Amino acid sequence: MIKCLAVDDEPLALQQLVTYIEKVPFLELAGKASNALEARAFLQQETVDALFCDINMPDLNGMDFVKSLAAPPMIVFTTAYADYAVEGFRVNAVDYLLKPFGLDEFRRAANRLKERMTLQSPIPPMGDSTTSSVGESQKGSLYVKSDYRVVRIDISKIRYVEAMSEYLRIHVEGESKPITTLLSMKKLEERLPDTFMRIHRSYIVNLQQIQEVNKNRIILDKDTFLPIGDMYREAFQHYLDKRFIGR
C-alpha cells in the first residue's frame, strides 16, 4: 500500500482527492490537510509515501512547501495552472494533474506512483555493492527521471551524453530523440563504466561508438561530431595511445 496525504485549500477539491484515493486499491489515505502549514505539522508526526498537493494555496504554496521538506515523499502536484509543469519537474515530481481532472487521469498518476515505488524499493544506497544500485552498472542498465516517468536505459546503447544547463540529453541508439533528465554530468559520470569518457565540459562519449578521431573532434557517424575540450584532451590521447597500432 502507498500511504498518501492529500493537501488542498479548496474543500471540494480536497474531498475529490480523498474520494479518488479511496477508489484506488493500492492507495491508503493517511490524512488530509487544507493548507501547507497543516500538512507540514502532519508530516512531523506521520510518515507517508506520497503527497497529492495543490500548488496555489495561501501563506505557503505547494511548490515552496515541497522544496522546504528535508526528505519529501513522492509528489503529485494538482493545480489549475499549466505553467508550473517545468518547476514541478525540477523538484522531481512524479506527476502533475491539471485541474479539472477526472478519475482516469488520477489513476494514471497513481500508477506512476506505484511504478516509482516499485523501482525505489529494491534499490540500496549508493556504494552498496551487494545488489544493484540506482545505476545498476553491473547489470548494464540505469534509471533516470524523464518527463514525469522513470525510464530504464541500456548502458551499452548510450551513444553520448550532452549537457544543457541543468539538464542532460542522453542519446540512445535506436531512439528517435534523446532522453532529457534533470541531472549533473558528475553524477552520471560516476555511474557509467570505464567504456565511457568525459571528453568535454558538455559531453560524455561511449568509447565503443567512436568511428574516427579527426584533430579536435570525435566522429560517431556522418552527422555526429563531438568536440574534445582542452581539459580532457590529455586523458583522451592517453586512451588512444594505449590502443594505437601503427607508426
Side-chain angles (χ1 to χ4, degrees):
M1 295 291 284
I2 301 175
K3 293 178 63 176
C4 305
L5 174 63
V7 187
D8 201 304
D9 65 310
E10 299 175 7
L12 291 178
L14 182 58
Q15 185 55 48
Q16 182 191 45
L17 282 175
V18 169
T19 301
Y20 284 177
I21 288 170
E22 292 173 343
K23 286 181 180 292
V24 178
F26 55 84
L27 297 184
E28 176 187 343
L29 181 67
K32 59 182 180 179
S34 59
N35 57 65
L37 299 179
E38 189 178 322
R40 178 183 286 167
F42 181 91
L43 292 176
Q44 289 172 349
Q45 303 297 323
E46 301 284 344
T47 300
V48 300
D49 302 307
L51 183 66
F52 287 90
C53 187
D54 185 28
I55 293 179
N56 296 92
M57 295 187 292
D59 298 324
L60 180 64
N61 72 45
M63 193 71 68
D64 291 336
F65 164 56
V66 169
K67 290 178 181 178
S68 73
L69 297 176
M74 297 182 292
I75 307 295
V76 174
F77 283 120
T78 65
T79 183
Y81 300 93
D83 54 353
Y84 282 108
V86 172
E87 194 172 357
F89 183 85
R90 289 176 183 272
V91 296
N92 203 31
V94 174
D95 208 346
Y96 181 100
L97 289 170
L98 187 62
K99 297 179 180 179
F101 55 86
L103 181 57
D104 285 345
E105 293 167 287
F106 182 87
R107 280 183 173 142
R108 281 194 290 271
N111 285 329
R112 287 174 178 170
L113 286 174
K114 188 178 181 180
E115 290 170 4
R116 174 74 67 87
M117 196 165 186
T118 300
L119 290 172
Q120 288 178 344
S121 296
I123 294 173
M126 289 176 61
D128 186 340
S129 59
T130 58
T131 56
S132 61
S133 68
V134 174
E136 287 198 341
S137 298
Q138 293 86 353
K139 293 188 177 182
S141 63
L142 53 82
Y143 293 95
V144 298
K145 174 78 183 317
S146 180
D147 193 24
Y148 299 112
R149 299 173 299 135
V150 177
V151 181
R152 179 185 177 276
I153 301 175
D154 185 337
I155 289 176
S156 65
K157 291 186 177 180
I158 297 175
R159 303 189 68 216
Y160 67 98
V161 180
E162 177 185 8
M164 298 186 65
S165 185
E166 298 174 326
Y167 293 85
L168 298 183
R169 299 177 69 189
I170 303 174
H171 296 259
V172 180
E173 188 176 343
E175 297 290 338
S176 59
K177 62 180 181 179
I179 296 169
T180 302
T181 185
L182 181 62
L183 190 67
S184 70
M185 287 285 272
K186 184 177 185 298
K187 188 169 183 178
L188 181 61
E189 194 175 8
E190 290 171 352
R191 295 303 183 89
L192 292 173
D194 57 9
T195 51
F196 289 80
M197 180 177 286
R198 183 88 171 261
I199 58 164
H200 188 276
R201 183 178 61 181
S202 300
Y203 292 98
I204 295 173
V205 68
N206 184 342
L207 297 167
Q208 297 177 336
Q209 293 278 339
I210 296 174
Q211 299 299 316
E212 185 179 333
V213 180
N214 188 338
K215 296 183 179 178
N216 293 327
R217 65 181 184 175
I218 287 170
I219 301 172
L220 302 187
D221 56 49
K222 64 183 181 66
D223 299 314
T224 310
F225 307 86
L226 305 181
I228 303 172
D230 292 339
M231 290 178 56
Y232 305 91
R233 185 172 292 111
E234 183 177 347
F236 182 70
Q237 187 62 50
H238 179 67
Y239 165 81
L240 287 182
D241 290 344
K242 288 175 63 177
R243 290 157 180 80
F244 186 76
I245 299 175
R247 301 178 62 182

